[in-house]
Amino acid sequence: MTRSKKANSESRILNRDGRTNRPSMPNRDGDWTTDWSNIKMEDYYRAQAIVNESEWDRFIQSMRQTLPTAFRLPVGKQTTKSIAHIIENQHLPKLSEIIFEGERIDSPKRIPWQVARYPGGLAYEVNVPKRVLRKSPDFKEFHQFLVYQTEVGNMSRQETVSMIPPLLLDVQPHHYVLDMCAAPGSKTAQLIEALHTPPPSSFTAVPLGLVIANDAEYSRAQLLVHQSSRLPSPALLITNLDASQYPTLKNAAGASLSFDRILCDVPCSGDGTIRKNVGIWKSWNVGSGNGLHSLQLRILVRAMQLLRPGGRIVYSTCSMNPVENEAVVAAALNTFPGQFMLVPTSKMLPGLIRRPGLTTWTPALNLSRAAKRTEQTTSHPDSKDELFMFSSHESYVAATDGGEVRNGRARFRDTLWPPENVCKLGLEHCLRIYPHLQNTGAFFVAVLQKNDDSTPCHPIETKVSASSKRDASPVHEPVERESKKPKLSIDGSELPKTDTEGFVKDLAIVDEPEPRSFKELPFTFLDGKDEVLLEHLARLQLVSTFPAGNIFVRHFPTDLMKTFYLANEAAKEVIQHNAFDRIRLVSAGVKVLSRHDLGEVQVSQTRVALNNHISVPIRFPEDREVTLRFVHDGIVTMENFIRSEARIQASLADLKTLLESYFPLLTEFHGQFFEVMSLQQNGSYMLIIEPQEVGGVSLSHHLVLPLWKSGRSLSLMVNKQYKKAL
């Protein structure tokens, strides 16, 4: 196998003696065949003393092992109780005594520190080699069960440590929550669950609060839309903005809207995911963390400006690098002195093994050998550069004078180094997770709280002149592109092209994001007093308290309306009082109703200019009789607003008949269900099936499904995948 000269320099994998160890991927059974190594990474983290020397060998060895699979059941979802019952009573007993090729295989187990937040335990860990999943009949059956339930949205695969930040945020139903870098959405799902299901309360279909999930990349924002469909919520908005320049939202009174809780799970180098992203062994370089420091700091500072007094921020990364972690937190705290404090986390999530945050660290840089040597360096054969470690910013400036200075300024600011008041900031209250502590990935979490008497957050004056702020280049470096995917392709032969000093420019409160093309359809609310709308809602037998004025469509006002969404009051306020293209709103609320046509529609359509504040009448085709029907996405939300007459009780036998055929005839049913449906008019209903057991088949949870009656037949209005899952 040939390798390029470039691959044989900075990115090559070395043994401790400097010899090349050709990397090999996991074998077909998923087990490592050689020890992975990256001498620069090991030297760097050993110098930072992130773990005690007595733990070092266990720490390194754990990073070379395959990461266990973890999955979580959503809180408050109808199917959760049944899925948990199946796991505990059907699968786990069969997996507890498996002997495979003479070796005892660990059975799946609950994640212990999750039980305090989720009574009964809804998070599990599976530490089984792939060859066992393929060849052991019982594990193969369990694996297929997990894959299918994940596909239909009844559970989520999520790394264990990734579950920590939303739990520490302590979201309540009335909170306004912002997830600044939300994709792919597993943590956002936890925030939505917390908004709807605060322990020990039951599920709340329409909470008072709000979750705004944001991501800077449009494709990843669309991924959030897809993920949110697993737990639809009328309290969710999804935006597509640069988190470091997130605009100030307005409320109905025109005042600035602040948040109670903000999650900053920022883009990072991702070396904490090295157990599943094995390419990091080859590509790791200090330049990635150093280059991202500026972006991470700008995002955290912007979050601090958007937080209300008494509110809480959770800052997290899947990196072990203190430059991306403690250095960012320390710089942010010093930007707003006395206004924030680090919340102690040592007693949060009992059972979670963690280490405190660092109070000392030494940044390192990759510099060419022509640069002036200073203090501590490491190098290896065939490399064009060396790893220089500087104990202070001053020593870095002195050593790189004439070599690493651009436009008369040092490339890296002093925020990469511990500040003079580092011992007064409480960085030990941060939380560090390492792979060898409980067989997980690595993670960093800091919980910041804003003082109740804090004044509006404005950054302190810096030594950078006003003119230099104004002339600072806009942030567009590729290395700082906002994506939480680990940076695996950074060329170690030179430093990332970033000027950390430029972050000062973005500390002022942002009123407008940079204009970009935006082609999403508008969000148009219907007039809650429109007679036609009220007539159709009456046919669905909704109660008079149903918020008809909170229904909106994704159309221009004069377009024919097909799909109808519902937003709670908090979401509606944000949509109506902030231009949707300014906040780059790509999704909102939950789909609750759909138009049901009886024939083809041919009506000309025109468009008019849109104003978010207007409410428009409902618009249907004039040459066809139409009605509204419930859709599955919003059935749980709408259940709270429907009269008892439209709640059709059914048995498991009735459900079986509905599942076996797409349009079963009414005459195929018997008993009470047949009698009730025979008297109903054509239209949309809610099918209610209470927990029961019939002929060895059991249902352990309350089930609600949309049902349509048309002439002499019935139909469940669910997609094929969900019907198969049922």
Side-chain angles (χ1 to χ4, degrees):
M1 178 178 178
T2 60
R3 306 182 67 195
S4 66
K5 182 178 180 181
K6 180 178 180 180
N8 280 321
S9 57
E10 175 59 25
S11 61
R12 60 191 282 156
I13 299 172
L14 302 171
N15 289 320
R16 299 300 298 176
D17 60 2
R19 292 178 302 177
T20 301
N21 177 24
R22 194 176 83 175
S24 64
M25 296 302 292
N27 63 18
R28 65 184 300 272
D29 291 327
D31 303 317
W32 304 131
T33 56
T34 61
D35 286 341
W36 291 82
S37 181
N38 183 310
I39 193 170
K40 281 193 174 183
M41 181 177 72
E42 295 175 38
D43 286 346
Y44 176 75
Y45 281 125
R46 203 162 198 160
Q48 308 305 325
I50 62 174
V51 298
N52 295 329
E53 191 62 30
S54 60
E55 300 177 85
W56 180 259
D57 290 340
R58 287 191 297 123
F59 164 68
I60 288 294
Q61 188 58 35
S62 67
M63 291 200 298
R64 295 172 179 147
Q65 297 172 352
T66 309
L67 183 70
T69 298
F71 63 91
R72 186 179 60 81
L73 304 181
V75 181
K77 193 162 186 176
Q78 290 180 335
T79 56
T80 294
K81 186 177 179 180
S82 292
I83 299 299
H85 183 269
I86 292 172
I87 292 173
E88 293 291 334
N89 295 281
Q90 295 185 27
H91 290 287
L92 294 190
K94 294 189 296 184
L95 302 176
S96 59
E97 300 293 336
I98 297 292
I99 304 295
F100 184 80
E101 297 179 352
E103 178 184 358
R104 183 184 179 90
I105 304 299
D106 293 334
S107 64
K109 60 182 180 180
R110 287 195 184 104
I111 299 173
W113 51 267
Q114 287 270 1
V115 177
R117 173 60 178 84
Y118 303 129
L122 296 178
Y124 295 81
E125 181 182 270
V126 183
N127 189 18
V128 179
K130 290 183 179 179
R131 68 181 188 278
V132 178
L133 292 177
R134 282 197 299 267
K135 298 179 181 180
S136 169
D138 291 329
F139 267 107
K140 184 176 182 179
E141 179 187 358
F142 181 60
H143 180 251
Q144 291 173 342
F145 170 78
L146 296 183
V147 170
Y148 188 75
Q149 296 301 330
T150 300
E151 288 177 353
V152 299
N154 289 336
M155 65 175 60
S156 299
R157 287 191 59 181
Q158 184 178 0
E159 191 175 346
T160 302
V161 290
S162 175
M163 304 176 192
I164 297 174
L167 299 180
L168 297 183
L169 204 55
D170 188 28
V171 172
Q172 300 299 318
H174 62 280
H175 282 159
Y176 281 49
V177 185
L178 174 61
D179 189 350
M180 299 194 79
C181 310
S186 56
K187 298 180 185 67
T188 304
Q190 288 181 266
L191 299 178
I192 296 172
E193 292 169 22
L195 201 71
H196 284 270
T197 317
S201 303
S202 58
F203 181 78
T204 301
V206 186
L208 297 175
L210 172 72
V211 172
I212 299 180
N214 175 71
D215 202 89
E217 293 187 15
Y218 182 78
S219 60
R220 289 167 67 80
Q222 290 298 325
L223 177 60
L224 287 172
V225 176
H226 172 72
Q227 294 286 59
S228 65
S229 64
R230 297 184 174 192
L231 192 67
S233 172
L236 175 65
L237 304 179
I238 298 176
T239 59
N240 171 218
L241 292 160
D242 178 357
S244 67
Q245 301 183 62
Y246 203 88
T248 303
L249 304 181
K250 302 296 182 181
N251 59 21
S256 297
L257 185 68
S258 56
F259 293 91
D260 301 280
R261 298 288 188 268
I262 300 179
L263 177 59
C264 296
D265 187 47
V266 299
C268 65
S269 60
D271 57 23
T273 68
I274 198 168
R275 295 180 66 180
K276 63 178 182 180
N277 294 314
V278 296
I280 296 175
W281 282 109
K282 180 179 180 180
S283 64
W284 186 92
N285 188 281
V286 292
S288 181
N290 292 342
L292 286 166
H293 172 88
S294 169
L295 174 63
Q296 293 160 344
L297 179 54
R298 291 198 304 273
I299 292 174
L300 180 54
V301 165
R302 186 59 189 145
M304 296 165 83
Q305 293 174 326
L306 295 171
L307 192 69
R308 71 161 180 83
R312 175 177 290 190
I313 294 173
V314 168
Y315 174 87
S316 61
T317 75
C318 51
S319 168
M320 298 177 285
N321 195 340
V323 167
E324 301 179 71
N325 298 328
E326 287 87 353
V328 172
V329 173
L333 290 172
N334 283 331
T335 302
F336 306 108
Q339 298 189 51
F340 290 83
M341 62 169 286
L342 280 168
V343 178
T345 59
S346 59
K347 296 183 179 180
M348 298 180 180
L349 302 178
L352 177 66
I353 306 173
R354 80 288 303 272
R355 294 288 185 267
L358 305 177
T359 55
T360 61
W361 61 90
T362 307
L365 305 173
N366 283 320
L367 302 179
S368 65
R369 296 191 177 196
K372 181 179 179 181
R373 291 175 176 264
T374 182
E375 301 189 17
Q376 182 178 349
T377 67
T378 64
S379 63
H380 53 76
D382 300 326
S383 178
K384 296 180 180 179
D385 55 21
E386 297 179 271
L387 191 65
F388 283 71
M389 305 187 75
F390 300 92
S391 60
S392 66
H393 184 251
E394 290 75 17
S395 63
Y396 156 69
V397 173
T400 58
D401 186 22
E404 292 299 319
V405 174
R406 291 191 315 177
N407 301 325
R409 297 179 297 185
R411 179 172 294 188
F412 291 101
R413 283 178 52 86
D414 56 0
T415 55
L416 273 72
W417 283 262
E420 294 181 359
N421 64 340
V422 64
C423 294
K424 299 180 181 180
L425 297 177
L427 294 178
E428 65 277 4
H429 294 319
C430 299
L431 180 153
R432 279 181 162 265
I433 305 292
Y434 298 117
H436 67 293
L437 299 180
Q438 53 224 322
N439 199 18
T440 66
F443 218 76
F444 173 87
V445 185
V447 182
L448 297 85
Q449 184 163 315
K450 190 173 185 178
N451 298 334
D452 286 320
D453 57 350
S454 293
T455 57
C457 285
H458 297 290
I460 59 173
E461 292 295 327
T462 69
K463 296 181 180 180
V464 182
S465 66
S467 60
S468 65
K469 292 183 188 179
R470 188 175 303 275
D471 295 337
S473 300
V475 181
H476 56 268
E477 302 85 355
V479 72
E480 293 189 356
R481 188 178 183 184
E482 188 164 340
S483 169
K484 282 184 286 190
K485 294 177 288 186
K487 310 294 181 179
L488 304 179
S489 59
I490 295 177
D491 184 0
S493 62
E494 63 178 75
L495 283 169
K497 296 181 179 180
T498 177
D499 185 351
T500 321
E501 203 166 52
F503 93 89
V504 178
K505 171 180 179 287
D506 297 310
L507 291 186
I509 292 180
V510 179
D511 292 321
E512 294 290 344
E514 289 187 17
R516 291 185 287 165
S517 61
F518 191 66
K519 299 180 180 179
E520 289 287 329
L521 291 171
F523 297 73
T524 308
F525 280 89
L526 303 184
D527 182 356
K529 298 180 180 180
D530 178 60
E531 293 183 359
V532 177
L533 173 62
L534 294 177
E535 178 184 347
H536 282 279
L537 296 180
R539 292 180 187 175
L540 293 172
Q541 302 187 59
L542 298 181
V543 296
S544 59
T545 56
F546 176 74
N550 288 44
I551 295 179
F552 67 91
V553 293
R554 295 297 308 275
H555 306 295
F556 286 89
T558 54
D559 285 357
L560 298 178
M561 298 175 182
K562 176 68 175 178
T563 304
F564 301 82
Y565 303 81
L566 181 70
N568 70 349
E569 285 295 333
K572 179 182 178 181
E573 181 182 39
V574 172
I575 296 171
Q576 285 202 311
H577 298 282
N578 297 270
F580 81 98
D581 52 347
R582 172 182 173 265
I583 63 174
R584 297 183 66 83
L585 186 63
V586 299
S587 180
V590 57
K591 186 189 303 183
V592 291
L593 300 171
S594 180
R595 188 186 78 211
H596 193 88
D597 297 331
L598 299 178
E600 294 185 2
V601 178
Q602 293 181 347
V603 176
S604 61
Q605 302 181 26
T606 56
R607 294 183 173 181
V608 298
L610 178 68
N611 182 335
N612 276 35
H613 296 273
I614 65 173
S615 295
V616 301
I618 195 167
R619 179 172 168 78
F620 283 154
E622 299 177 357
D623 60 345
R624 292 290 187 275
E625 182 182 356
V626 300
T627 187
L628 295 178
R629 63 173 176 85
F630 298 115
V631 296
H632 187 227
D633 290 13
I635 199 71
V636 174
T637 301
M638 297 299 285
E639 185 187 6
N640 295 267
F641 300 105
I642 192 169
R643 300 179 188 275
S644 58
E645 297 90 322
R647 298 171 179 265
I648 307 299
Q649 299 290 332
S651 67
L652 284 178
D654 299 323
L655 176 61
K656 182 181 179 182
T657 302
L658 288 166
L659 293 175
E660 289 176 341
S661 174
Y662 283 106
F663 303 100
L665 296 176
L666 191 57
T667 53
E668 297 180 40
F669 298 90
H670 307 282
Q672 183 181 1
F673 181 74
F674 170 76
E675 295 175 1
V676 172
M677 290 308 301
S678 297
L679 299 175
Q680 301 296 330
Q681 297 179 351
N682 293 347
S684 185
Y685 299 90
M686 283 192 183
L687 188 71
I688 309 294
I689 306 172
E690 300 295 349
Q692 55 188 277
E693 183 172 352
V694 178
V697 178
S698 63
L699 177 68
S700 59
H701 66 278
H702 174 80
L703 185 62
V704 185
L705 299 168
L707 179 69
W708 177 261
K709 181 183 179 183
S710 177
R712 295 177 295 174
S713 65
L714 302 176
S715 178
L716 277 182
M717 306 304 289
V718 298
N719 60 41
K720 295 180 181 179
Q721 193 176 39
Y722 187 82
K723 181 175 286 190
K724 185 177 180 181
L726 284 175

